[in-house]
Amino acid sequence: MNAVNSPESKGAPNRERGRRRPSKTPKGRQVEPQALAEVRALLGERPRRRDLLIEHLHLIQDKYGHLSAAHLAALAQEMKLALTEVYEVATFYAHFDVVKEGAKAPPAVTVRVCDSLSCAMAGAEKLLKELPKKLGKDARVLRASCMGACDRAPVAAVGHMQVFGATAQNVAAAVKKDAHAHAWKPGKDFAVYRKDGGYKLLSDCLDGKRTRDELIQIVSDAGLRGLGGAGFPTGRKWMLVRAEPAPRLFAVNADEGEPGTFKDRYYLELDPHRFLEGTLIAAWVVEAADTYIYIRDEYPEVRLMLEAEIAKVENAGLAKHSKIHLRRGAGAYICGEESAMIESIEGKRGLPRHRPPYVAQVGLFGRPTLEQNVETLYWIRDIVERGVQWFASQGRSGSKGFRSYSVSGRVKEPGVKLAPAGITAQELIDEFCGGMEKGHKFKGYLPGGASGGILPASMANLPLDFGKLEPHGCFVGSHAVVILSDQDDMKAVALNLMRFFEDESCGQCTPCRVGTEKAVKLMMKGPWNQKLLDELSQAMRDASICGLGQAAPNPLQCVFKYFRDDLAKPLGKW
């Protein structure tokens, strides 16, 4: 009988069999010295704070064209984070190319083709078929969501440079040039803006010539509202945030990702300092010590321009009351939702938060936070200097002020149209867009982008403003108007929009994540099962955490309600 089976050994621990040999290497993925050196060189003297994770991932992506397993492990060690924290963020955003260990790196050039509605109508599907043949091994071609240039559809992005009115020929030419984003001069730079009286209002505020209560009263009387989609009264929001304990913060949403929306880009390109002055005034009103501007990664030239112009503002001593931080998105529509944007600014996945508490109470880094849209801030200087009556006197059908309508689709002259609030779709087409595109008859329209629903041409006399379309199952949102014609199949339109929501769902809640996927599959089959799709839509509306899942069924339900004739036809294509 051996020792381990002897009576004396019974009840005693089996020390030999239970003992494990110590590992020759530490647990987990090992960090490669070369990768660590490369990451440290890229980060330089930059802080290793958790909230800068996405910024640091961009540095690696921009340098190497992808995120390798070795670089992710090195970044995790350098930032003292778990590798899972780094990996989950890197894989969440569409513009990060994570390459697994042992996998082949992607080609040096990536071409993204927008397949959202306006680009699909302009021939994106044809472009997606032609480009792989045209480019061969020179580049890879990927589908992408809206790039914020719907008035110049179809759009492709070669690396970070967008090609408007894209064809296989001009995209191939851009690939051969190895084009990248470049520094770009704004319509009005700092010197020109100051010469025209810019920053005088801000200076008056900082010098005590204006009071915070005075400015709150002015924007309230003028009827200025949040123009990112929700339409919350600006003056009231300022009051709510000011009522919270300091320190308070400010987050600016420049991440317009709604298909059909491109107005913020237009104003940032046209007159960035009017926006920056409005931003600094709002920060002064709520006494926000830090201001974070979160801008779309699809707008690289605008981001680089803002970096340069913000530096000029700071050097002039105009931002001493609020430090400006420019943060770069990474391709996630969900980050247009205010709490998801705040999560992203903090360096995390853009998952919407449960509410309450609201962002005004517990926002960025757990502090009370003012959140505003680019266009809202753009109008502050004009409203205060020109007076309440100037702004409030604009409007139709009982609405106040101007609205910037992003118009795309089947019109002769698409673009951002500064028009009276409450204008109708028919008036927009006739007065601001030069009429319908030749050979197209007005059939329907999206009054508020992908989530705002679809209305028929017979209802083109409804005011396009907050609170006016809800009785019809639609809303105006960010005022993105896409015009459809008799050459567009409404089933195909609704399917395109549902695919967008499926692709952009953050995946946090089951009703949205699974609901959009199931809806796409059901809509691709024919005929549409209305009872089943209605049941699915209701589940998404009732149980989704945020507006993405709640509004995703709107276009589908509008087809059932207003375009019954299209239901009997085979699913169309562009």
Side-chain angles (χ1 to χ4, degrees), residues 287-341:
E287 299 176 87
D290 290 272
T291 296
Y292 292 80
I293 300 175
Y294 187 87
I295 189 164
R296 294 193 76 184
D297 197 34
E298 287 84 352
Y299 298 169
E301 288 137 337
V302 176
R303 176 176 52 81
L304 292 172
M305 174 271 292
L306 280 177
E307 284 182 359
E309 297 304 312
I310 288 170
K312 295 175 185 177
V313 173
E314 292 175 337
N315 291 336
L318 294 166
K320 292 180 180 179
H321 63 293
S322 187
K323 172 67 177 174
I324 300 177
H325 309 265
L326 192 61
R327 291 296 175 87
R328 178 179 173 185
Y333 164 71
I334 191 62
C335 290
E337 195 274 341
E338 61 177 6
S339 65
M341 178 187 69

Side-chain angles (χ1 to χ4, degrees), residues 153-166:
V155 183
V158 178
H160 283 304
M161 189 196 77
Q162 290 188 1
V163 180
F164 306 127

Side-chain angles (χ1 to χ4, degrees), residues 142-344:
L142 303 176
R143 291 178 178 271
S145 296
C146 186
M147 297 181 183
C150 314
D151 54 333
R152 292 170 280 188
V155 183
V158 178
H160 283 304
M161 189 196 77
Q162 290 188 1
V163 180
F164 306 127
T167 64
Q169 289 71 31
N170 61 20
V171 171
V175 170
K176 288 181 180 179
K177 290 178 183 177
D178 191 25
H180 296 281
H182 55 278
W184 180 82
K185 293 188 68 175
K188 283 188 179 181
D189 64 11
F190 181 73
V192 174
Y193 184 75
R194 290 215 78 175
K195 186 179 179 181
D196 292 343
Y199 291 107
K200 184 180 184 307
L201 176 59
L202 174 63
S203 297
D204 287 347
C205 293
L206 298 177
D207 293 342
K209 296 177 182 178
R210 297 275 192 170
T211 68
R212 293 177 172 86
D213 289 339
E214 177 188 4
L215 263 65
I216 290 174
Q217 191 64 52
I218 289 172
V219 299
S220 297
D221 292 344
L224 181 63
R225 306 178 71 161
L227 298 172
F232 195 86
T234 300
R236 185 180 171 196
K237 181 179 283 191
W238 288 0
M239 290 176 64
L240 290 171
V241 174
R242 281 194 69 205
E244 296 295 325
R248 293 178 284 273
L249 302 175
F250 186 13
V252 179
N253 191 339
D255 190 57
E256 56 178 358
E258 182 85 7
T261 306
F262 45 91
K263 62 185 177 63
D264 291 349
R265 178 186 200 158
Y266 171 81
Y267 285 118
L268 289 171
E269 292 177 343
L270 177 71
D271 199 352
H273 285 281
R274 196 170 297 270
F275 153 71
L276 288 173
E277 183 170 12
T279 298
L280 289 168
I281 289 170
W284 171 78
V285 169
V286 301
E287 299 176 87
D290 290 272
T291 296
Y292 292 80
I293 300 175
Y294 187 87
I295 189 164
R296 294 193 76 184
D297 197 34
E298 287 84 352
Y299 298 169
E301 288 137 337
V302 176
R303 176 176 52 81
L304 292 172
M305 174 271 292
L306 280 177
E307 284 182 359
E309 297 304 312
I310 288 170
K312 295 175 185 177
V313 173
E314 292 175 337
N315 291 336
L318 294 166
K320 292 180 180 179
H321 63 293
S322 187
K323 172 67 177 174
I324 300 177
H325 309 265
L326 192 61
R327 291 296 175 87
R328 178 179 173 185
Y333 164 71
I334 191 62
C335 290
E337 195 274 341
E338 61 177 6
S339 65
M341 178 187 69
I342 282 172
E343 289 286 302
S344 189

Side-chain angles (χ1 to χ4, degrees), residues 465-478:
D465 204 10
F466 300 112
K468 303 296 178 76
L469 304 177
E470 282 76 358
H472 307 283
C474 298
F475 55 81
V476 75
S478 58

